[in-house]
Amino acid sequence: MPDHAANSLREENLGDEIQPKRLADAFEAATGHRTAFITHGENDSVRTVPLRIIQLPFGPALLTQDTNAGRQANVGAIGVHYLSVEDGRFDVIASWPRAVMGRGWGDPPKWRFTDQFTAYPAIYAWGDFTAQAAVLTSATITELRPEGPVTSDYIYTGHDNEGGQRAEDEPACSVKGRIANIRKDKSFDVVVTGSRAAIDRYEKGDAFGAVRQIHWDLPCDVPNRGR
């Protein structure tokens, strides 16, 4: 995995008294609310909270977080809101309230800032999704460009169906992917080890896309019994 501490983004650091007000001001400019709020829909309820103000190379941005209560498919998310500031007042240039998606069951993704992969700073986000007794781990890289966030293909880094085999003679399949050989803004590899060895490559066009060697739904080529 990449070094999640790598970071070319700066948070505002204005002191314990000023910082909460600035965050509330930015959150109000982006959402119309100064504190966390809940939006009720037909099939879910979404709680939105402010996270932090960051300084990108081209200006400030607010990050927000959605946690979604409801069905498995109703995932949480990280929102990105580009801001301008004049006389201490925030205005919103553009908003992407669900720029970085979670993986399932309403939760937002785990995430870190990174400058290892892309020309502009990016959000590296990851999480697990469980289906048919298998746990699939994946990540995305969302580059925060001046024109807006741009997200990679899913980067699959784990599959484990231990204990979920469909028959006694079906072997368990447990593989892990490690990101390696990073060529910034060009490519990187996912080195797969465990029940199977392989290398997936990701190459950058507009965003990073996968050149796959394994099928991550069935990475060990075991017949998918019961589906």
Side-chain angles (χ1 to χ4, degrees):
M1 297 291 288
D3 179 3
H4 296 309
N7 179 7
S8 64
L9 295 157
R10 294 184 298 106
E11 289 187 57
E12 282 199 336
N13 187 12
L14 302 175
D16 293 340
E17 294 183 2
I18 300 175
Q19 181 70 31
K21 182 182 184 303
R22 290 281 286 175
L23 185 59
D25 288 346
F27 192 56
E28 184 175 26
T31 69
H33 299 264
R34 292 191 64 80
T35 59
F37 65 96
I38 296 175
T39 304
H40 297 287
E42 183 177 350
N43 298 310
D44 61 359
S45 296
V46 179
R47 185 173 189 266
T48 303
V49 301
L51 289 179
R52 64 189 69 175
I53 300 169
I54 56 174
Q55 294 296 328
L56 294 166
F58 46 85
L62 169 72
L63 301 185
T64 57
Q65 178 176 281
D66 283 358
T67 302
N68 195 320
R71 303 172 182 171
Q72 179 179 2
N74 294 337
V75 300
I78 303 298
V80 177
H81 312 266
Y82 289 177
L83 307 171
S84 64
V85 185
E86 186 173 350
D87 297 328
R89 179 178 178 273
F90 287 111
D91 286 309
V92 176
I93 298 172
S95 287
W96 300 267
R98 297 178 65 78
V100 184
M101 303 294 286
R103 298 297 179 269
W105 299 111
D107 292 328
K110 300 174 184 177
W111 60 278
R112 295 287 188 275
F113 295 126
T114 180
D115 58 6
Q116 286 187 299
F117 298 94
T118 50
Y120 288 97
I123 295 173
Y124 180 92
W126 71 97
D128 296 334
F129 181 81
T130 303
Q132 302 294 328
V135 179
L136 188 64
T137 304
S138 63
T140 55
I141 298 167
T142 300
E143 185 178 14
L144 303 181
R145 300 179 189 170
E147 65 270 24
V150 178
T151 301
S152 69
D153 283 355
Y154 280 116
I155 304 159
Y156 292 102
T157 58
H159 177 105
D160 191 345
N161 71 346
E162 184 84 36
Q165 297 94 313
R166 299 289 178 176
E168 291 184 2
D169 62 342
E170 182 178 314
C173 179
S174 179
V175 296
K176 290 185 177 180
R178 176 179 58 86
I179 294 178
N181 306 322
I182 300 170
R183 298 175 64 215
K184 187 170 182 174
D185 225 34
K186 293 182 179 178
S187 66
F188 60 87
D189 294 332
V190 175
V191 180
V192 181
T193 57
S195 301
R196 179 177 175 188
I199 295 178
D200 280 355
R201 168 153 289 210
Y202 289 76
E203 297 179 349
K204 186 136 185 266
D206 185 47
F208 281 109
V211 181
R212 300 213 186 282
Q213 287 196 355
I214 72 171
H215 175 29
W216 277 90
D217 285 342
L218 294 169
C220 299
D221 297 325
V222 174
N224 195 358
R225 304 172 197 182
R227 288 195 194 178

